Amino acid sequence: EATVYQIVVDSPDHTLFEQEINANLLNDDLIGQPVINDNEYAPGHFTVFAPTDAAIFAFAEENGFDDVNDLFDSPYWDEILRRHIVEIPLTSDQLDNNGLLVSYGGDAIYTFVNDDGIFVENAQLTTLDLEAYNGVVHVIDAVLLPPTANAVIEADQLAVMVYPNPAGEGELNIRGNWNAGAL
């Protein structure tokens, strides 16, 4: 009977993620139980990629924010937060290599599967398939950064995406995946 929101609330490692779900008024959506509420609209079912508090602290530090509150006040934060929610329930065995999902904010996000595990963008799924009444939660080890179409460079099996620095200081973050054997 738990919802995806309740799974996040019950986790001691997701207090910052919970705080921001509430602050951005997403808690009502993530509490919705579409099957029970079949006579009224309720969003869902969901897949939630839940970054840990440690991942959020690391993201703030790596991207030049003074602290997590500075990150949460950033004009990019709402988009970043919504990027962690997909309005379709997907268990780990349904996440494909080079899979394309659409976030709750309308952004494309990609999944990857390799010998090291399952990844969504730059984040690895560390705890899989926490099933809820209205979806599934996967714990991830990094914050999903929203891309801008600054550049995508592909060469054989090399793909690099360039992201703006969310602190707005003009620096760029570069994320990439490659098969070292192919280079």
Side-chain angles (χ1 to χ4, degrees):
E1 296 179 11
T3 63
V4 291
Y5 175 74
Q6 193 61 47
I7 288 173
V8 171
V9 168
D10 288 346
S11 170
D13 297 325
H14 292 90
T15 59
L16 294 171
F17 191 58
E18 174 193 353
Q19 168 190 316
E20 290 305 301
I21 286 171
N22 292 331
N24 286 273
L25 305 177
L26 294 172
N27 53 322
D28 284 343
D29 290 355
L30 298 177
I31 290 171
Q33 298 187 14
V35 175
I36 289 176
N37 299 333
D38 62 356
N39 60 341
E40 60 186 74
Y41 174 76
H45 295 82
F46 297 101
T47 299
V48 176
F49 298 105
T52 62
D53 291 346
I56 293 172
F57 280 120
F59 179 82
E61 182 178 329
E62 290 167 5
N63 288 284
F65 292 97
D66 293 335
D67 55 31
V68 292
N69 291 324
D70 190 30
L71 167 64
F72 297 155
D73 290 339
S74 161
Y76 299 99
W77 180 248
D78 182 59
E79 183 179 1
I80 292 170
L81 180 65
R82 290 175 181 277
R83 204 161 156 74
H84 292 81
I85 302 167
V86 175
E87 197 171 358
I88 183 171
L90 297 166
T91 56
S92 60
D93 62 336
Q94 296 171 308
L95 297 173
D96 298 327
N97 194 31
N98 297 319
L100 170 64
L101 305 173
V102 177
S103 76
Y104 209 48
D107 293 327
I109 56 175
Y110 297 92
T111 59
F112 303 94
V113 179
N114 63 31
D115 292 340
D116 294 327
I118 302 171
F119 297 82
V120 57
E121 299 285 333
N122 58 308
Q124 184 171 11
L125 279 65
T126 58
T127 303
L128 312 174
D129 302 327
L130 300 172
E131 293 188 29
Y133 183 84
N134 64 342
V136 61
V137 176
H138 303 288
V139 176
I140 56 175
D141 66 355
V143 171
L144 303 178
L145 182 63
T148 51
N150 290 357
V152 175
I153 303 165
E154 295 183 29
D156 292 331
Q157 295 185 30
L158 171 67
V160 177
M161 296 191 76
V162 180
Y163 300 87
N165 182 325
E169 297 174 3
E171 298 174 12
L172 296 176
N173 292 314
I174 299 175
R175 306 268 193 247
N177 293 317
W178 63 86
N179 178 342
L183 298 177

